[in-house]
Amino acid sequence: MTNHKGVLAWIDEITKLCEPNNVKWLDGSEKENQDLLEMMVKNGTAILLNQEKRPGCYLFRSDPSDVARVENRTFIASNKKSDAGPNNNWIDPLELKKTMNSLYQGSMRGRTMYVIPFSMGPIGSKLSKIGINVTDSPYVAVNMRIMTRIGQKVLDALGDNGEFVPCLHSVGYPLEKGQIDPTWPCAPIEQKYISHFPDERLIWSYGSGYGGNALLGKKCFALRIASAMARDEGWLAEHMLILKITNPEGKVKYMTGAFPSACGKTNLAMLTPTIPGWKVETVGDDIAWMKFGKDGRLYAINPEAGFFGVAPGTSYQTNYNAMKAIEYNTIFTNVALTDDGDVWWEGIGYDAPNHLIDWQGKDWYKGVSMTPAAHPNARFTVRADQCPVIASDWEAENGVPISAILIGGRRPTTVPLIHESFSWPHGIFMGSIMGSEITAATISDNIGKVRRDSFAMLPFIGYHVGDYLKHWLDIESMTKPEKLPKIYYVNWFRKDEFNHFLWPGYGENSRILKWIFERCDNQVHGVKTPIGYIPDPSDLDLSNLNISETAIKELLNVDKAEWMKECASIEAYYERFEDKLPKAIKDEFDSLMNRLKA
Ligand code: GTP
Ligand code: SPV
Ligand code: MN
């Protein structure tokens, strides 16, 4: 319990507004977790998986309309519209609160309201921040327990007057007397609101129970609200993995990587190197908070405590460490169920059995059923410390020092396997022009189409994208140039004319990490192209890799005509910034054009 007057007053206010049957403060204990899971198995919300094959594992199936983040129902309600910018949906905060207040009125009737104090980052660390999540979804409660640090310890760290971010969540499905509760209650799409009030550091989410819409510590707090805090306080809140890499001589570096949703962060963070003697360990797989240390370097912490990872495509071949992590104590959402109570998904690395129950709870027959058995955005939720390669220092109180920042996305053409920026502003320019095919991680009619996604933050910046790029540029003046990480643009997804990936990816990406590692130490040179430095193919470790010279040539190809077309598309994207495109970015764009024309 707590004597924090602000917390108590807020909980009181929400209780009066949402009218739950009960209010339950979560203490974070194992017993409480077991009780919640048991209750959900009993009422049919959860399926207990085969306890011999998957001890401590549960399966949930969401409503078919509630399977991913909903970007067109996500709002940044800043006081000024111009602070939200072209990448965000904006509604006047007063108007939005009015609409949502009437939705929240009695929205928890017939349900229990869970109060979940949580810490983003290790409890009590100076880099951490505290939130209080109020939710009427027990599914959210058990997931928040994995994804963040929750319970009484957090209230103790908060004390009587510490700062917290109020995070209100309701599935938006009040139960009147006698009304039957569906297994996945949620509201219709036009009533869903994933709302952020960055000026008052407040989150209101209504109508969805899935992923980033509902686990409010993740995208809502650790990115959208935290990015606004970071801008004000001089740090960075980013959609980035954090990895630790050790070379055969035992030298360690840390790298972060910004790739859009379902573009390979979890995989890179847990990679099993295929080159002998190299080791990769995981610090984080989705979000990095980076602040300057006393030595002038950027240090990153992973504010999360678990992984909410994409299941399809995850196999012992592609991501061994994730597969080991999810052998026990894991929550699966929207994967397929085998007849013997295990899980299956497309790309799990072995054939489907003849019969499955698909993610919608329907019979599925191999060779007959035409739809995927698992939803493409099916996910697992697992504690970070279950990952066999979690770095021993992943909870380091002051974070880990970053040597390189990787950025990238799914680009079938144009963008080479790897290129390095000429300078910090050029690296920020590279981040600004990042593009990627839209994936199933968001609900969209445009899946597969390339969209610009600056630093993989398009749906996650809590303010204007132009101001965001300016903040990245301003970082340069906060330290000495040699202290800044180098910036690299990678693309594992370039394809040949037959639509096949040219690069084998996954563990083989270690070869590219090695080049980056050696570039950071000036051990290899870069070949200058109009877009940045690329490797001399002879500096790439391709030993024991079955790849043709033509493929390597194509992977590293920088085609001026293709890049001129790219520039036209970048220019169109920049037009949306109106007067907020930083001059340094425009200068970088002009320089690129000049280099391409030369
Ligand atoms: P979010 O959790 O949505 O932010 O996604 P993420 O960026 O962590 O992506 P993740 O690592 O889960 O990968 C998403 C999909 O991309 C999976 O189906 C992977 O199998 C696939 N993938 C990851 N890395 C590679 C790669 O190097 N090459 C190829 N071809 N596919 C990859
Ligand atoms: C993403 O979409 O980038 C995710 C999943 O990591 S979610 O938590 O739904 O945002
Ligand atoms: Mn993500």
Side-chain angles (χ1 to χ4, degrees):
M1 289 317 273
T2 179
N3 294 318
H4 192 299
K5 288 202 180 72
V7 173
L8 293 171
W10 183 63
I11 298 302
D12 200 43
E13 178 196 327
I14 300 307
T15 311
K16 288 198 177 106
L17 176 64
C18 298
E19 301 171 24
N21 273 10
N22 314 292
V23 178
K24 191 170 163 37
W25 292 66
L26 296 195
D27 62 15
S29 69
E30 185 52 44
K31 162 93 173 59
E32 163 191 275
N33 184 48
Q34 283 308 320
D35 289 349
L36 282 172
L37 286 162
E38 228 164 82
M39 172 197 82
M40 287 189 281
V41 171
K42 259 200 200 126
N43 70 18
T45 309
I47 295 166
L48 181 67
L49 292 170
N50 182 326
Q51 290 305 287
E52 254 142 55
K53 296 199 154 180
R54 302 257 164 206
C57 292
Y58 297 81
L59 168 64
F60 289 80
R61 295 192 192 113
S62 78
D63 188 272
S65 70
D66 199 27
V67 292
R69 286 183 295 102
V70 276
E71 290 176 12
N72 64 351
R73 302 300 305 165
T74 299
F75 301 93
I76 298 295
S78 41
N79 292 343
K80 286 195 297 195
K81 183 173 188 199
S82 58
D83 284 339
N87 54 320
N88 286 314
N89 302 309
W90 181 84
I91 300 181
D92 173 76
L94 286 176
E95 188 191 321
L96 181 57
K97 281 194 177 166
K98 206 166 144 217
T99 309
M100 289 190 75
N101 263 318
S102 63
L103 289 169
Y104 281 128
Q105 186 75 57
S107 78
M108 296 187 185
R109 265 183 225 149
R111 301 187 183 281
T112 297
M113 177 175 118
Y114 302 96
V115 180
I116 314 171
F118 66 97
S119 174
M120 299 312 288
I123 295 172
S125 154
K126 280 196 297 294
L127 300 186
S128 300
K129 300 219 179 254
I130 286 174
I132 309 279
N133 187 181
V134 161
T135 179
D136 55 4
S137 162
Y139 168 82
V140 165
V142 293
N143 275 274
M144 281 296 284
R145 184 172 189 274
I146 298 176
M147 293 307 297
T148 70
R149 291 113 173 142
I150 71 160
Q152 185 59 44
K153 300 183 297 266
V154 178
L155 289 178
D156 296 344
L158 185 65
D160 287 351
N161 46 27
E163 249 180 60
F164 70 99
V165 172
C167 305
L168 169 56
H169 174 252
S170 171
V171 294
Y173 200 103
L175 291 169
E176 301 311 333
K177 266 223 163 63
Q179 193 177 346
I180 293 171
D181 197 7
T183 51
W184 187 279
C186 63
I189 183 80
E190 67 282 0
Q191 277 179 27
K192 290 192 205 314
Y193 286 88
I194 321 302
S195 304
H196 307 73
F197 304 89
D199 300 289
E200 52 178 316
R201 319 287 200 224
L202 171 69
I203 299 163
W204 278 9
S205 168
Y206 183 90
S208 167
Y210 204 92
N213 299 333
L215 310 177
L216 303 185
K218 199 170 180 54
K219 298 303 170 26
C220 298
F221 184 163
L223 290 179
R224 298 195 191 96
I225 294 297
S227 63
M229 293 172 159
R231 168 202 55 190
D232 297 346
E233 297 166 10
W235 52 282
L236 296 158
E238 297 297 327
H239 192 202
M240 289 179 177
L241 68 98
I242 311 166
L243 65 80
K244 177 179 189 177
I245 179 165
T246 309
N247 77 359
E249 287 74 53
K251 190 164 185 190
V252 171
K253 288 190 198 302
Y254 299 89
M255 303 177 181
T256 61
F259 312 144
S261 301
C263 289
K265 288 182 300 299
T266 302
N267 276 269
L268 195 71
M270 298 180 191
L271 155 155
T272 307
T274 50
I275 43 177
W278 288 75
K279 186 157 84 177
V280 168
E281 293 163 296
T282 314
V283 177
D285 84 322
D286 199 51
I287 297 174
W289 285 357
M290 287 188 284
K291 303 185 186 180
F292 283 108
K294 285 198 191 82
D295 60 359
R297 294 185 70 189
L298 275 175
Y299 283 71
I301 66 161
N302 170 13
E304 301 189 281
F307 308 123
F308 183 62
V310 179
T314 307
S315 69
Y316 285 100
Q317 293 80 52
T318 57
N319 192 345
Y320 177 82
N321 294 312
M323 289 299 282
K324 290 305 281 182
I326 62 181
E327 284 177 353
Y328 61 104
N329 294 351
T330 300
I331 292 173
F332 294 93
T333 309
N334 286 347
V335 303
L337 176 68
T338 67
D339 290 347
D340 63 351
D342 200 2
V343 292
W344 190 88
W345 49 76
E346 281 68 24
I348 199 170
Y350 45 88
D351 273 354
N354 287 325
H355 175 255
L356 290 166
I357 303 292
D358 75 6
W359 68 274
Q360 300 195 59
K362 297 188 181 128
D363 286 307
W364 185 97
Y365 298 95
K366 182 160 69 182
V368 178
S369 298
M370 302 299 284
T371 47
H375 187 276
N377 192 42
R379 300 234 169 203
F380 53 78
T381 321
V382 66
R383 282 200 76 80
D385 56 17
Q386 286 191 203
C387 175
V389 294
I390 195 77
S392 56
D393 50 355
W394 80 279
E395 292 185 288
E397 214 192 319
N398 297 318
V400 294
I402 301 304
S403 298
I405 295 174
L406 281 57
I407 58 173
R410 292 174 181 265
R411 289 302 303 268
T413 65
T414 316
V415 179
L417 180 58
I418 166 99
H419 63 288
E420 181 190 287
S421 67
F422 295 126
S423 64
W424 184 260
H426 180 236
I428 307 314
F429 166 72
M430 276 164 43
S432 81
I433 67 167
M434 263 172 62
S436 190
E437 293 173 297
I438 299 172
T439 65
T442 176
I443 293 175
S444 168
D445 296 331
N446 294 318
I447 288 173
K449 285 198 191 136
V450 171
R451 70 169 176 186
R452 300 280 150 206
D453 189 349
S454 299
F455 283 97
M457 282 287 279
L458 177 91
F460 306 124
I461 308 171
Y463 59 104
H464 195 295
V465 58
D467 294 331
Y468 168 80
L469 293 177
K470 179 163 184 309
H471 180 55
W472 264 106
L473 290 162
D474 288 346
I475 290 287
E476 189 181 25
S477 64
M478 298 181 200
T479 191
K480 296 199 183 85
E482 69 274 14
K483 303 276 185 190
L484 286 166
K486 288 172 167 261
I487 300 177
Y488 296 85
Y489 196 146
V490 299
N491 178 23
W492 319 136
F493 300 94
R494 198 158 180 170
K495 288 180 169 174
D496 65 14
E497 74 243 55
F498 308 109
N499 210 29
H500 294 143
F501 290 122
L502 282 158
W503 180 248
Y506 301 104
E508 307 295 1
N509 294 335
S510 56
R511 300 171 190 277
I512 305 305
L513 297 184
K514 177 180 174 182
W515 186 76
I516 294 170
F517 192 107
E518 291 172 350
R519 279 293 290 166
C520 290
D521 284 345
N522 282 316
Q523 287 176 336
V524 287
H525 71 283
V527 179
K528 198 166 181 187
T529 77
I531 63 166
Y533 297 112
I534 61 166
D536 186 327
S538 66
D539 287 330
L540 279 183
D541 184 344
L542 301 175
S543 50
N544 301 313
L545 182 66
N546 188 10
I547 191 166
S548 71
E549 241 172 76
T550 356
I552 292 294
K553 224 172 137 198
E554 182 57 25
L555 279 163
L556 294 177
N557 188 28
V558 179
D559 183 292
K560 284 193 178 179
E562 270 182 354
W563 272 92
M564 286 304 282
K565 265 206 272 172
E566 187 76 6
C567 283
S569 141
I570 293 165
E571 211 163 18
Y573 171 62
Y574 283 166
E575 263 165 33
R576 303 172 49 203
F577 286 54
E578 295 180 342
D579 58 346
K580 288 217 176 186
L581 184 71
K583 183 176 175 301
I585 297 288
K586 177 75 175 68
D587 291 348
E588 288 293 339
F589 177 81
D590 293 341
S591 311
L592 172 61
M593 287 291 276
N594 290 334
R595 290 193 299 270
L596 287 168
K597 284 183 196 147

